[in-house]
Amino acid sequence: MSETSFPRRTFLRSVTAATALSYSRVYGANERLQLGLIGCGERGRYDMGNFVKTGTVEVTALCDIWGAQIDKAKQDAPNARTFSDHRALLDHKEIDVALIGTPDHWHVPIAIDALNAGKDVFVEKPLTLTIEEGPSVVKAARINNRICQVGMQQRSGKHYIEAKREYIDSGKIGKVTLARTWWHGNGYHLRKAPDYLKTKPQDLDWAHYLGRLKWRDWDPQQYWNWRAYLDFGGGQVTDLFTHWIDVVHMFLGSDVPASAVAAGGVYNYKDGRTAPDTINVLLEYPAQFTATFEATLAPGIGGAAVEIAGTQGRLYIDRQHYEFHAAGGASRPRGQQADQAPGAASVVVQAASNIDMDHVENFLECVKSRKLPNGDVLAGHRSAQASHLGNIAYMQKRRIDFDPAREAIQPF
Protein backbone atom coordinates (compact mmCIF):
# COMPACT_ATOMS: atom_id res chain seq x y z
CA MET A 1 0.00 0.00 0.00
CA SER A 2 1.54 3.30 -1.02
CA GLU A 3 1.64 6.19 1.39
CA THR A 4 -0.70 9.16 1.17
CA SER A 5 -0.08 12.48 2.83
CA PHE A 6 -2.49 15.33 3.36
CA PRO A 7 -1.36 17.20 6.47
CA ARG A 8 -3.90 18.07 9.14
CA ARG A 9 -2.84 21.73 9.04
CA THR A 10 -3.67 21.90 5.34
CA PHE A 11 -7.14 20.48 5.93
CA LEU A 12 -7.80 22.85 8.81
CA ARG A 13 -6.75 25.87 6.74
CA SER A 14 -9.06 24.64 3.97
CA VAL A 15 -11.99 24.28 6.34
CA THR A 16 -11.40 27.74 7.82
CA ALA A 17 -11.26 29.33 4.39
CA ALA A 18 -14.32 27.45 3.25
CA THR A 19 -16.53 28.84 6.01
CA ALA A 20 -16.62 32.10 4.09
CA LEU A 21 -17.06 30.75 0.58
CA SER A 22 -17.35 33.26 -2.22
CA TYR A 23 -19.94 32.33 -4.81
CA SER A 24 -21.00 34.29 -7.82
CA ARG A 25 -24.63 33.17 -7.87
CA VAL A 26 -27.23 34.10 -5.27
CA TYR A 27 -30.32 31.90 -5.19
CA GLY A 28 -33.74 33.37 -4.66
CA ALA A 29 -35.67 32.25 -1.61
CA ASN A 30 -38.15 30.24 -3.71
CA GLU A 31 -35.84 29.32 -6.60
CA ARG A 32 -35.87 25.67 -7.63
CA LEU A 33 -32.50 24.00 -8.01
CA GLN A 34 -31.76 22.01 -11.15
CA LEU A 35 -30.52 18.48 -10.32
CA GLY A 36 -28.78 15.85 -12.41
CA LEU A 37 -28.80 12.25 -11.15
CA ILE A 38 -25.75 10.18 -12.06
CA GLY A 39 -26.38 6.53 -11.28
CA CYS A 40 -30.07 5.66 -11.61
CA GLY A 41 -30.05 2.41 -9.66
CA GLU A 42 -32.16 1.73 -6.60
CA ARG A 43 -30.20 3.96 -4.22
CA GLY A 44 -29.87 6.79 -6.71
CA ARG A 45 -33.62 6.79 -7.37
CA TYR A 46 -34.35 6.72 -3.65
CA ASP A 47 -32.12 9.73 -3.06
CA MET A 48 -33.66 11.52 -6.02
CA GLY A 49 -37.11 10.93 -4.55
CA ASN A 50 -36.07 12.60 -1.30
CA PHE A 51 -34.79 15.62 -3.20
CA VAL A 52 -38.07 15.87 -5.11
CA LYS A 53 -40.07 15.64 -1.86
CA THR A 54 -38.51 18.87 -0.63
CA GLY A 55 -40.40 20.74 -3.33
CA THR A 56 -37.36 22.90 -4.09
CA VAL A 57 -35.66 20.73 -6.72
CA GLU A 58 -36.35 19.94 -10.36
CA VAL A 59 -34.70 16.84 -11.82
CA THR A 60 -33.59 17.92 -15.28
CA ALA A 61 -31.01 15.26 -16.22
CA LEU A 62 -30.47 11.52 -15.72
CA CYS A 63 -27.38 9.43 -16.45
CA ASP A 64 -26.68 5.72 -16.29
CA ILE A 65 -24.77 3.08 -18.23
CA TRP A 66 -27.94 0.94 -18.48
CA GLY A 67 -30.96 2.29 -20.31
CA ALA A 68 -33.40 0.27 -18.19
CA GLN A 69 -32.32 2.16 -15.06
CA ILE A 70 -32.84 5.50 -16.78
CA ASP A 71 -36.33 4.37 -17.81
CA LYS A 72 -37.19 3.64 -14.18
CA ALA A 73 -35.90 7.04 -13.05
CA LYS A 74 -37.86 8.80 -15.80
CA GLN A 75 -41.09 7.61 -14.21
CA ASP A 76 -40.46 10.23 -11.53
CA ALA A 77 -38.67 12.73 -13.79
CA PRO A 78 -40.44 12.45 -17.14
CA ASN A 79 -39.04 15.67 -18.58
CA ALA A 80 -35.40 15.00 -17.72
CA ARG A 81 -32.81 14.72 -20.46
CA THR A 82 -30.92 11.43 -20.52
CA PHE A 83 -27.23 10.63 -20.86
CA SER A 84 -25.01 7.56 -20.87
CA ASP A 85 -21.83 9.50 -19.94
CA HIS A 86 -21.69 11.72 -16.87
CA ARG A 87 -19.35 14.18 -18.58
CA ALA A 88 -22.02 15.05 -21.12
CA LEU A 89 -24.50 15.71 -18.31
CA LEU A 90 -22.02 17.95 -16.50
CA ASP A 91 -21.45 20.04 -19.63
CA HIS A 92 -24.88 21.61 -19.12
CA LYS A 93 -24.34 24.87 -17.24
CA GLU A 94 -27.91 25.16 -15.97
CA ILE A 95 -27.52 22.08 -13.74
CA ASP A 96 -26.80 23.26 -10.19
CA VAL A 97 -26.45 19.98 -8.30
CA ALA A 98 -24.98 16.58 -9.20
CA LEU A 99 -26.41 13.67 -7.22
CA ILE A 100 -24.06 10.67 -7.42
CA GLY A 101 -25.56 7.25 -6.71
CA THR A 102 -23.14 5.00 -8.60
CA PRO A 103 -21.16 2.04 -7.22
CA ASP A 104 -18.22 3.09 -5.06
CA HIS A 105 -15.48 2.86 -7.68
CA TRP A 106 -17.05 5.74 -9.61
CA HIS A 107 -17.69 8.11 -6.67
CA VAL A 108 -14.46 10.10 -6.72
CA PRO A 109 -13.89 10.34 -10.50
CA ILE A 110 -17.43 11.64 -11.05
CA ALA A 111 -17.38 13.89 -7.97
CA ILE A 112 -14.15 15.55 -9.08
CA ASP A 113 -15.50 16.06 -12.60
CA ALA A 114 -18.68 17.58 -11.15
CA LEU A 115 -16.81 19.87 -8.75
CA ASN A 116 -14.49 21.02 -11.52
CA ALA A 117 -17.57 21.71 -13.66
CA GLY A 118 -18.87 24.08 -10.99
CA LYS A 119 -21.61 21.81 -9.59
CA ASP A 120 -22.43 21.32 -5.96
CA VAL A 121 -22.34 17.61 -5.16
CA PHE A 122 -24.29 15.13 -3.05
CA VAL A 123 -22.43 11.81 -3.22
CA GLU A 124 -23.31 8.53 -1.57
CA LYS A 125 -20.97 7.00 0.97
CA PRO A 126 -18.32 5.77 1.14
CA LEU A 127 -16.79 8.80 -0.51
CA THR A 128 -13.72 6.91 -1.70
CA LEU A 129 -12.67 3.53 -3.04
CA THR A 130 -9.12 3.91 -1.64
CA ILE A 131 -7.39 6.09 0.94
CA GLU A 132 -5.35 7.79 -1.77
CA GLU A 133 -8.45 9.26 -3.40
CA GLY A 134 -9.50 11.29 -0.36
CA PRO A 135 -7.17 14.30 -0.57
CA SER A 136 -7.89 14.84 -4.28
CA VAL A 137 -11.66 15.09 -3.89
CA VAL A 138 -11.37 17.32 -0.80
CA LYS A 139 -9.03 19.59 -2.76
CA ALA A 140 -11.43 19.72 -5.72
CA ALA A 141 -14.26 20.85 -3.46
CA ARG A 142 -12.16 23.51 -1.76
CA ILE A 143 -10.44 25.06 -4.78
CA ASN A 144 -13.74 25.21 -6.68
CA ASN A 145 -15.65 26.56 -3.66
CA ARG A 146 -18.30 23.89 -4.01
CA ILE A 147 -20.60 22.33 -1.45
CA CYS A 148 -20.00 18.58 -1.24
CA GLN A 149 -22.20 16.52 1.07
CA VAL A 150 -21.50 12.81 1.63
CA GLY A 151 -24.44 10.50 2.35
CA MET A 152 -23.64 9.95 6.03
CA GLN A 153 -27.13 10.93 7.13
CA GLN A 154 -26.63 10.36 10.85
CA ARG A 155 -24.84 13.73 10.94
CA SER A 156 -28.17 15.44 10.23
CA GLY A 157 -30.37 13.18 12.35
CA LYS A 158 -32.02 15.20 15.09
CA HIS A 159 -31.81 12.45 17.70
CA TYR A 160 -28.08 11.97 16.95
CA ILE A 161 -27.48 15.70 17.38
CA GLU A 162 -29.52 15.70 20.60
CA ALA A 163 -27.75 12.67 22.07
CA LYS A 164 -24.37 14.22 21.34
CA ARG A 165 -25.35 17.48 23.01
CA GLU A 166 -27.00 15.90 26.05
CA TYR A 167 -24.49 13.18 26.91
CA ILE A 168 -21.21 13.70 25.07
CA ASP A 169 -20.77 17.48 24.90
CA SER A 170 -22.16 17.91 28.42
CA GLY A 171 -19.63 15.45 29.83
CA LYS A 172 -22.35 13.30 31.42
CA ILE A 173 -20.86 10.17 29.89
CA GLY A 174 -17.46 10.86 31.45
CA LYS A 175 -14.20 9.83 29.81
CA VAL A 176 -14.97 7.65 26.77
CA THR A 177 -12.70 4.64 26.39
CA LEU A 178 -14.60 2.40 23.97
CA ALA A 179 -16.99 2.76 21.03
CA ARG A 180 -18.60 -0.52 19.92
CA THR A 181 -20.39 -0.76 16.58
CA TRP A 182 -22.09 -3.62 14.78
CA TRP A 183 -24.23 -4.23 11.70
CA HIS A 184 -25.37 -7.81 11.18
CA GLY A 185 -27.41 -9.51 8.48
CA ASN A 186 -27.43 -6.75 5.85
CA GLY A 187 -29.26 -8.39 2.97
CA TYR A 188 -27.88 -6.06 0.31
CA HIS A 189 -24.64 -8.02 0.40
CA LEU A 190 -26.48 -11.24 -0.47
CA ARG A 191 -28.38 -10.11 -3.56
CA LYS A 192 -28.72 -12.62 -6.39
CA ALA A 193 -28.70 -11.40 -9.98
CA PRO A 194 -32.04 -12.06 -11.70
CA ASP A 195 -32.16 -14.63 -14.47
CA TYR A 196 -32.76 -12.03 -17.17
CA LEU A 197 -29.22 -10.74 -16.60
CA LYS A 198 -27.56 -14.02 -17.52
CA THR A 199 -27.10 -12.46 -20.93
CA LYS A 200 -25.89 -8.85 -20.86
CA PRO A 201 -28.63 -6.43 -21.97
CA GLN A 202 -27.87 -4.70 -25.24
CA ASP A 203 -28.33 -1.25 -23.67
CA LEU A 204 -25.93 -1.89 -20.75
CA ASP A 205 -22.39 -0.59 -21.31
CA TRP A 206 -20.31 -3.09 -19.32
CA ALA A 207 -16.96 -1.57 -20.35
CA HIS A 208 -18.06 1.86 -19.15
CA TYR A 209 -19.37 0.33 -15.92
CA LEU A 210 -15.95 -1.20 -15.21
CA GLY A 211 -14.23 2.11 -15.88
CA ARG A 212 -10.70 2.06 -14.42
CA LEU A 213 -11.03 -1.50 -13.13
CA LYS A 214 -9.27 -4.36 -14.88
CA TRP A 215 -11.26 -6.07 -17.60
CA ARG A 216 -13.38 -9.11 -16.90
CA ASP A 217 -16.09 -10.64 -19.07
CA TRP A 218 -19.72 -9.90 -18.29
CA ASP A 219 -20.59 -11.22 -14.86
CA PRO A 220 -24.18 -10.52 -13.80
CA GLN A 221 -23.37 -11.12 -10.14
CA GLN A 222 -20.53 -8.58 -10.13
CA TYR A 223 -22.90 -6.06 -11.67
CA TRP A 224 -25.93 -6.78 -9.52
CA ASN A 225 -24.19 -7.49 -6.20
CA TRP A 226 -21.03 -5.41 -6.61
CA ARG A 227 -20.81 -4.80 -2.84
CA ALA A 228 -19.57 -8.38 -2.47
CA TYR A 229 -16.46 -7.71 -4.58
CA LEU A 230 -13.50 -5.71 -3.33
CA ASP A 231 -12.70 -4.33 -6.79
CA PHE A 232 -15.90 -2.28 -6.69
CA GLY A 233 -16.04 -1.34 -3.01
CA GLY A 234 -14.92 -2.31 0.46
CA GLY A 235 -17.60 -4.81 1.40
CA GLN A 236 -19.40 -4.47 4.71
CA VAL A 237 -16.59 -2.39 6.19
CA THR A 238 -16.88 0.62 3.87
CA ASP A 239 -20.60 0.15 3.19
CA LEU A 240 -21.72 -0.18 6.82
CA PHE A 241 -18.88 0.64 9.21
CA THR A 242 -18.38 4.00 7.46
CA HIS A 243 -21.80 5.06 8.75
CA TRP A 244 -21.05 4.05 12.32
CA ILE A 245 -17.45 5.20 12.57
CA ASP A 246 -18.69 8.54 11.27
CA VAL A 247 -21.05 8.71 14.26
CA VAL A 248 -18.08 7.99 16.54
CA HIS A 249 -16.06 10.74 14.84
CA MET A 250 -18.98 13.16 15.07
CA PHE A 251 -19.58 12.44 18.76
CA LEU A 252 -16.00 12.26 20.01
CA GLY A 253 -14.26 14.83 17.79
CA SER A 254 -11.38 12.50 16.93
CA ASP A 255 -11.38 11.24 13.35
CA VAL A 256 -7.94 9.86 12.43
CA PRO A 257 -7.00 6.46 13.89
CA ALA A 258 -3.47 5.61 14.96
CA SER A 259 -3.74 1.88 14.26
CA ALA A 260 -6.00 -0.83 12.88
CA VAL A 261 -6.29 -4.59 13.17
CA ALA A 262 -8.91 -6.88 11.65
CA ALA A 263 -9.88 -10.50 11.16
CA GLY A 264 -12.55 -12.26 9.17
CA GLY A 265 -13.16 -14.13 5.96
CA VAL A 266 -15.59 -15.70 3.54
CA TYR A 267 -16.77 -18.29 6.02
CA ASN A 268 -20.17 -19.29 4.65
CA TYR A 269 -21.14 -17.72 1.32
CA LYS A 270 -18.83 -19.50 -1.12
CA ASP A 271 -20.35 -17.80 -4.16
CA GLY A 272 -17.27 -16.15 -5.64
CA ARG A 273 -17.39 -13.04 -3.46
CA THR A 274 -14.08 -11.45 -2.48
CA ALA A 275 -15.36 -9.32 0.41
CA PRO A 276 -15.59 -11.19 3.73
CA ASP A 277 -19.02 -12.29 4.89
CA THR A 278 -17.82 -11.99 8.50
CA ILE A 279 -15.46 -9.28 9.74
CA ASN A 280 -14.17 -7.73 12.95
CA VAL A 281 -12.24 -4.44 12.98
CA LEU A 282 -10.54 -2.64 15.87
CA LEU A 283 -9.21 0.91 15.58
CA GLU A 284 -7.17 2.80 18.18
CA TYR A 285 -7.33 6.61 18.36
CA PRO A 286 -4.79 9.12 19.72
CA ALA A 287 -7.52 10.48 22.05
CA GLN A 288 -7.15 7.20 23.99
CA PHE A 289 -10.18 5.18 23.01
CA THR A 290 -10.78 2.23 20.74
CA ALA A 291 -13.56 1.71 18.21
CA THR A 292 -14.72 -1.72 17.07
CA PHE A 293 -16.92 -3.05 14.30
CA GLU A 294 -18.36 -6.50 13.88
CA ALA A 295 -20.55 -7.81 11.09
CA THR A 296 -21.69 -11.12 9.70
CA LEU A 297 -24.14 -11.96 6.95
CA ALA A 298 -25.13 -15.20 8.68
CA PRO A 299 -28.85 -15.11 9.46
CA GLY A 300 -28.49 -16.17 13.08
CA ILE A 301 -27.92 -12.62 14.30
CA GLY A 302 -29.18 -9.18 13.31
CA GLY A 303 -29.18 -5.56 14.34
CA ALA A 304 -27.09 -2.45 13.82
CA ALA A 305 -26.06 0.17 16.36
CA VAL A 306 -23.36 2.19 18.09
CA GLU A 307 -22.63 1.95 21.81
CA ILE A 308 -20.25 4.41 23.45
CA ALA A 309 -18.88 3.52 26.87
CA GLY A 310 -17.64 6.15 29.31
CA THR A 311 -16.67 6.27 32.96
CA GLN A 312 -20.06 7.74 33.93
CA GLY A 313 -22.38 5.76 31.67
CA ARG A 314 -23.02 4.31 28.25
CA LEU A 315 -24.89 5.66 25.25
CA TYR A 316 -26.63 3.31 22.80
CA ILE A 317 -27.89 4.78 19.53
CA ASP A 318 -29.33 3.49 16.28
CA ARG A 319 -31.50 5.00 13.57
CA GLN A 320 -34.67 4.69 15.61
CA HIS A 321 -33.74 5.85 19.10
CA TYR A 322 -31.06 6.34 21.71
CA GLU A 323 -30.64 5.16 25.29
CA PHE A 324 -28.40 6.48 28.05
CA HIS A 325 -27.66 4.34 31.07
CA ALA A 326 -25.79 5.96 33.93
CA ALA A 327 -23.01 3.95 35.54
CA GLY A 328 -24.34 1.97 38.46
CA GLY A 329 -27.95 2.44 37.42
CA ALA A 330 -30.36 -0.44 36.89
CA SER A 331 -30.55 -1.20 33.17
CA ARG A 332 -33.79 -2.28 31.53
CA PRO A 333 -33.80 -4.65 28.57
CA ARG A 334 -33.71 -2.83 25.27
CA GLY A 335 -37.17 -2.21 23.90
CA GLN A 336 -38.70 -1.37 27.29
CA GLN A 337 -39.51 2.26 27.91
CA ALA A 338 -37.16 3.70 30.51
CA ASP A 339 -37.79 6.48 32.99
CA GLN A 340 -37.25 9.81 31.23
CA ALA A 341 -37.34 12.01 34.32
CA PRO A 342 -34.41 14.41 34.78
CA GLY A 343 -31.52 12.69 36.50
CA ALA A 344 -32.91 9.21 35.94
CA ALA A 345 -30.44 6.35 35.68
CA SER A 346 -31.82 5.31 32.28
CA VAL A 347 -33.25 7.43 29.47
CA VAL A 348 -34.78 6.34 26.14
CA VAL A 349 -35.62 8.81 23.39
CA GLN A 350 -37.26 7.85 20.10
CA ALA A 351 -36.25 9.44 16.79
CA ALA A 352 -38.67 12.17 15.74
CA SER A 353 -37.62 12.71 12.11
CA ASN A 354 -36.43 11.06 8.91
CA ILE A 355 -32.65 11.32 8.91
CA ASP A 356 -32.41 10.84 5.13
CA MET A 357 -34.67 13.84 4.53
CA ASP A 358 -32.87 15.83 7.24
CA HIS A 359 -29.59 15.26 5.40
CA VAL A 360 -30.96 16.27 1.99
CA GLU A 361 -32.52 19.41 3.47
CA ASN A 362 -29.25 20.33 5.18
CA PHE A 363 -27.43 20.01 1.86
CA LEU A 364 -29.95 22.17 0.00
CA GLU A 365 -29.80 24.82 2.72
CA CYS A 366 -26.02 24.89 2.39
CA VAL A 367 -26.17 25.16 -1.40
CA LYS A 368 -28.01 28.44 -0.89
CA SER A 369 -26.18 29.71 2.22
CA ARG A 370 -22.71 28.44 1.13
CA LYS A 371 -22.04 27.13 4.64
CA LEU A 372 -20.28 23.79 5.05
CA PRO A 373 -22.82 20.94 5.23
CA ASN A 374 -23.13 18.45 8.08
CA GLY A 375 -21.56 15.62 6.06
CA ASP A 376 -18.85 17.74 4.46
CA VAL A 377 -16.38 16.14 2.05
CA LEU A 378 -13.61 16.27 4.67
CA ALA A 379 -15.70 14.28 7.16
CA GLY A 380 -16.55 11.89 4.33
CA HIS A 381 -12.87 11.36 3.56
CA ARG A 382 -11.95 10.81 7.21
CA SER A 383 -14.67 8.25 7.90
CA ALA A 384 -13.96 6.34 4.68
CA GLN A 385 -10.25 6.48 5.54
CA ALA A 386 -10.87 4.82 8.91
CA SER A 387 -12.85 2.06 7.20
CA HIS A 388 -10.16 1.55 4.56
CA LEU A 389 -7.58 1.04 7.32
CA GLY A 390 -9.70 -1.80 8.67
CA ASN A 391 -9.87 -3.40 5.23
CA ILE A 392 -6.13 -2.99 4.65
CA ALA A 393 -5.42 -4.67 7.99
CA TYR A 394 -7.75 -7.51 6.98
CA MET A 395 -6.20 -7.98 3.54
CA GLN A 396 -2.58 -7.66 4.68
CA LYS A 397 -3.20 -9.72 7.83
CA ARG A 398 -1.20 -7.37 10.02
CA ARG A 399 -1.53 -4.41 12.35
CA ILE A 400 -1.61 -1.15 10.39
CA ASP A 401 0.12 1.76 12.10
CA PHE A 402 -1.11 5.12 10.82
CA ASP A 403 0.48 8.53 11.36
CA PRO A 404 -2.41 10.81 12.41
CA ALA A 405 -0.48 14.00 11.58
CA ARG A 406 0.62 13.00 8.07
CA GLU A 407 -2.29 10.61 7.52
CA ALA A 408 0.12 8.05 6.13
CA ILE A 409 0.49 4.31 6.61
CA GLN A 410 3.73 3.46 8.35
CA PRO A 411 5.98 0.99 6.52
CA PHE A 412 6.72 -2.49 7.83
Side-chain angles (χ1 to χ4, degrees):
M1 186 74 183
S2 60
E3 292 188 1
T4 182
S5 178
F6 204 85
R8 179 179 296 273
R9 289 189 298 272
T10 303
F11 268 146
L12 292 176
R13 285 198 299 270
S14 298
V15 171
T16 302
T19 58
L21 293 174
S22 60
Y23 188 57
S24 58
R25 181 176 176 186
V26 177
Y27 290 99
N30 299 315
E31 185 175 356
R32 292 169 67 84
L33 298 172
Q34 307 299 300
L35 181 144
L37 170 62
I38 302 170
C40 298
E42 187 173 295
R43 185 66 198 186
R45 298 195 304 272
Y46 171 79
D47 286 340
M48 181 185 75
N50 284 333
F51 274 87
V52 171
K53 286 176 186 177
T54 67
T56 63
V57 168
E58 182 178 356
V59 180
T60 57
L62 302 168
C63 178
D64 201 277
I65 56 88
W66 187 14
Q69 300 287 51
I70 292 177
D71 291 342
K72 291 177 181 178
K74 276 188 74 70
Q75 294 177 18
D76 295 315
N79 298 319
R81 287 170 293 183
T82 62
F83 303 87
S84 59
D85 190 315
H86 72 276
R87 293 165 295 187
L89 181 152
L90 295 173
D91 282 342
H92 288 270
K93 303 298 182 186
E94 67 273 18
I95 294 174
D96 304 302
V97 171
L99 169 59
I100 303 171
T102 64
D104 299 357
H105 68 295
W106 272 108
H107 285 179
V108 166
I110 295 175
I112 289 177
D113 285 347
L115 294 165
N116 288 340
K119 316 303 181 187
D120 293 316
V121 170
F122 188 106
V123 55
E124 267 300 344
K125 66 91 215 45
L127 175 62
T128 56
L129 180 69
T130 67
I131 283 180
E132 290 87 350
E133 290 183 322
S136 62
V137 68
V138 174
K139 182 178 179 180
R142 297 297 188 251
I143 65 176
N144 289 295
N145 285 342
R146 298 298 91 193
I147 302 299
C148 185
Q149 175 98 297
V150 182
M152 303 179 302
Q153 58 267 49
Q154 289 77 213
R155 289 209 173 229
S156 297
K158 293 181 175 61
H159 73 292
Y160 286 92
I161 295 169
E162 178 182 286
K164 177 179 183 294
R165 180 182 65 246
E166 292 295 323
Y167 297 102
I168 306 296
D169 297 345
S170 69
K172 291 178 183 176
I173 199 168
K175 163 61 180 171
V176 172
T177 59
L178 171 65
R180 297 175 55 236
T181 77
W182 60 94
W183 199 313
H184 297 300
N186 188 282
Y188 247 78
H189 292 255
L190 294 174
R191 301 205 314 164
K192 298 294 184 183
D195 288 343
Y196 64 78
L197 285 180
K198 287 181 178 178
T199 300
K200 184 184 76 66
Q202 290 295 314
D203 60 346
L204 190 157
D205 189 342
W206 175 241
H208 192 156
Y209 176 80
L210 292 176
R212 55 188 164 149
L213 303 183
K214 67 181 181 181
W215 176 258
R216 74 286 314 268
D217 291 333
W218 167 249
D219 184 332
Q221 198 60 16
Q222 290 193 50
Y223 173 78
W224 192 256
N225 193 35
W226 56 266
R227 289 176 179 84
Y229 300 88
L230 293 175
D231 279 355
F232 299 95
Q236 295 179 91
V237 178
T238 60
D239 188 44
L240 307 176
F241 184 41
T242 296
H243 275 305
W244 286 162
I245 198 60
D246 188 62
V247 172
V248 175
H249 291 174
M250 171 189 174
F251 279 20
L252 302 184
S254 181
D255 59 7
V256 183
S259 69
V261 294
V266 181
Y267 294 152
N268 185 61
Y269 297 95
K270 311 291 187 178
D271 54 3
R273 69 182 57 236
T274 56
D277 60 29
T278 302
I279 188 73
N280 285 265
V281 174
L282 187 152
L283 306 177
E284 184 179 18
Y285 284 77
Q288 297 187 328
F289 68 89
T290 61
T292 67
F293 174 66
E294 65 175 44
T296 184
L297 298 176
I301 188 171
V306 177
E307 191 164 48
I308 297 177
T311 55
Q312 299 301 315
R314 60 184 174 88
L315 175 66
Y316 170 99
I317 190 163
D318 58 28
R319 287 177 169 173
Q320 288 73 48
H321 77 295
Y322 70 81
E323 305 174 15
F324 180 76
H325 301 277
S331 291
R332 294 171 171 82
R334 291 196 184 108
Q336 290 188 14
Q337 186 68 21
D339 186 355
Q340 296 190 43
S346 298
V347 175
V348 175
V349 175
Q350 302 298 321
S353 63
N354 181 324
I355 63 174
D356 294 332
M357 284 299 298
D358 292 340
H359 207 47
V360 167
E361 289 171 353
N362 170 254
F363 170 70
L364 294 175
E365 290 169 4
C366 291
V367 167
K368 294 189 175 183
S369 70
R370 311 315 294 172
K371 295 179 180 178
L372 289 180
N374 291 337
D376 176 57
V377 63
L378 175 56
H381 159 54
R382 291 272 172 75
S383 292
Q385 176 177 258
S387 296
H388 291 317
L389 289 174
N391 266 342
I392 295 167
Y394 162 73
M395 289 184 285
Q396 295 189 3
K397 300 188 183 305
R398 70 178 180 97
R399 172 189 168 107
I400 300 297
D401 290 311
F402 198 63
D403 183 340
R406 294 179 59 240
E407 296 191 31
I409 292 174
Q410 299 303 299
F412 285 100

